[in-house]
Amino acid sequence: MPAKTNSSDQSVSMQEIADRCSVVQATVSNVLRNRPNGRVGDETREKIFRAAIELRYKMRSDQRIDSRKRQIGYLLLDLDFAYRDSFYSGSLVRQIKMIEESFDFNVQIYTYPRDQFDRMLYKAVCGDYCDALVLSRYGGEELVNELVERLPIPLVYLDDSHGLKCSSLSPNMDAMGRIAAEHLYQKGYRKFAVFGGYLSDYRGMRGLGFVNFLKELGIPSKDIIIYDEEYGFNGGRMMALQLIKQLTREPVGVFSHDDDVGFSALQAFQEQRISVPNQVGIIGCNNAVHSPYTYPPLSSIDLMANDHAQTLLRMLTNSMKENRIDTIRTPLKLIPRGSTMLTPD
């Protein structure tokens, strides 16, 4: 990949952006300054933001972060993903903010609705002069590579993807599911369920790892149930209630895609007087801070956010200094607790 050039020391005018986009300067001004103008279509608006980013247009100095530290922009699709500890992104953000000073970084968190991505990207690159970006949940390989091509600064993508033109960091999603399946199998479960299946998207890679491991052990497909519901507390409860209707005398081992789903499932099982772990065993992901304090304590897979934060900031340093592209799949740790400790008859 060609080296990224930093053009922040070059003066770019709104007229240059207007010329590139074949619009008048006033249109560029209205878009970049977020002035309401119903006559500017979405396609034109996106084109202006993209041109400003590629040229690295400078916003006024009073709109920018004033810092001598290297600026890192971390773009997140939803506020929940930034600050909820039960999500990997939330744990990672917390750990990054704890250690950023030791790397001489200032990590700025940008949360945005999906239709405002280009505006947030413009703010990070042209407004706050970020030296590098971190991004997750943006899209597939083709979308990410297209973004890399038009960015004037390095990008690290947090996803278990292949064939990217930028550095990427992620827990090994397939291994996550396999660890959960092996644990439940070793504890004596022979019927299984996945809560939060979504086997067609990036989260589904952990579910596929879970299912594939069990099939390799000879578990028939009829003994593996996949439930697809929304993430979070409501989704976990709905999936638990569906499973309860299908329970037999044989205990079921459940893999929950995150601990939030696991928490609400545990609550639903308790309300319906379902014994955990003797009728249903459940293991979650991310080892959230509340996991040891549920009843029974929730088994989980620790995504090691502290180690990941260190690795991520080192990757950013390498990307800025040497224009390196690294692909790293970070280690995981099984944390067994009472929710999967099936007791023999």
Side-chain angles (χ1 to χ4, degrees), residues 1-262:
M1 184 178 72
K4 298 287 186 180
T5 59
N6 187 329
S7 59
S8 61
D9 58 340
Q10 300 173 3
S11 177
V12 176
S13 69
M14 284 191 182
Q15 186 59 54
E16 290 177 79
I17 299 172
D19 292 342
R20 175 177 285 207
C21 299
S22 301
V23 297
V24 298
Q25 182 177 329
T27 300
V28 173
S29 178
N30 287 335
V31 170
L32 297 186
R33 291 173 177 166
N34 201 24
R35 293 170 179 159
N37 188 333
R39 292 176 297 177
V40 181
D42 291 341
E43 185 176 342
T44 300
R45 193 179 301 275
E46 181 180 341
K47 186 188 298 184
I48 290 170
F49 280 130
R50 292 191 173 204
I53 291 165
E54 290 169 10
L55 295 170
R56 208 164 188 192
Y57 170 76
K58 293 181 180 180
M59 290 170 62
R60 295 197 318 268
S61 60
D62 62 347
Q63 295 176 299
R64 293 186 278 111
I65 294 175
D66 182 18
S67 175
R68 296 181 182 179
K69 297 179 180 179
R70 287 176 292 179
Q71 300 294 326
I72 307 298
Y74 188 164
L75 282 75
L76 283 161
L77 179 62
D78 189 282
L79 189 64
D80 274 354
F81 291 111
Y83 300 110
R84 283 176 64 176
D85 184 75
S86 51
F87 288 138
Y88 169 69
S89 296
S91 299
L92 188 61
V93 165
R94 181 167 55 85
Q95 294 296 332
I96 287 171
K97 296 302 289 182
M98 290 173 62
I99 64 173
E100 62 181 348
E101 287 192 8
S102 64
F103 285 81
D104 199 31
F105 285 168
N106 178 52
V107 181
Q108 180 77 6
I109 311 300
Y110 302 86
T111 57
Y112 60 93
R114 190 172 294 278
D115 62 352
Q116 293 292 312
F117 175 75
D118 282 315
R119 177 170 292 282
M120 285 297 98
L121 194 63
Y122 166 72
K123 174 72 165 62
V125 176
C126 303
D128 297 334
Y129 291 1
C130 287
D131 298 290
L133 295 177
V134 179
L135 179 64
S136 64
R137 299 174 56 81
Y138 177 66
E141 175 185 315
E142 185 176 343
L143 274 175
V144 175
N145 285 339
E146 186 273 333
L147 177 63
V148 171
E149 290 296 328
R150 63 186 175 93
L151 277 176
I153 55 177
L155 172 71
V156 175
Y157 193 53
L158 302 181
D159 189 70
D160 193 1
S161 298
H162 302 279
L164 294 178
K165 296 179 180 179
C166 63
S167 293
S168 64
L169 173 73
S170 172
N172 188 320
M173 296 292 187
D174 179 80
M176 194 183 305
R178 289 176 173 272
I179 289 170
E182 182 178 21
H183 173 67
L184 291 169
Y185 187 84
Q186 289 179 346
K187 291 301 175 183
Y189 297 96
R190 294 300 180 265
K191 289 184 178 293
F192 304 90
V194 180
F195 280 6
Y198 300 102
L199 298 188
S200 62
D201 72 4
Y202 82 101
R203 291 172 295 189
M205 295 175 68
R206 64 188 81 170
L208 284 172
F210 182 83
V211 171
N212 289 338
F213 185 88
L214 294 174
K215 288 183 175 179
E216 290 165 11
L217 291 174
I219 303 296
S221 296
K222 68 179 180 64
D223 290 335
I224 308 170
I225 308 172
I226 299 169
Y227 296 96
D228 274 348
E229 294 289 347
E230 63 184 90
Y231 265 46
F233 289 97
N234 188 51
R237 178 179 178 79
M238 292 174 65
M239 288 182 279
L241 294 176
Q242 290 177 49
L243 175 61
I244 289 170
K245 295 177 182 178
Q246 298 178 273
L247 286 177
T248 63
R249 292 178 59 87
E250 192 168 359
V252 176
V254 175
F255 175 41
S256 168
H257 272 200
D258 67 39
D259 286 350
D260 265 4
V261 171

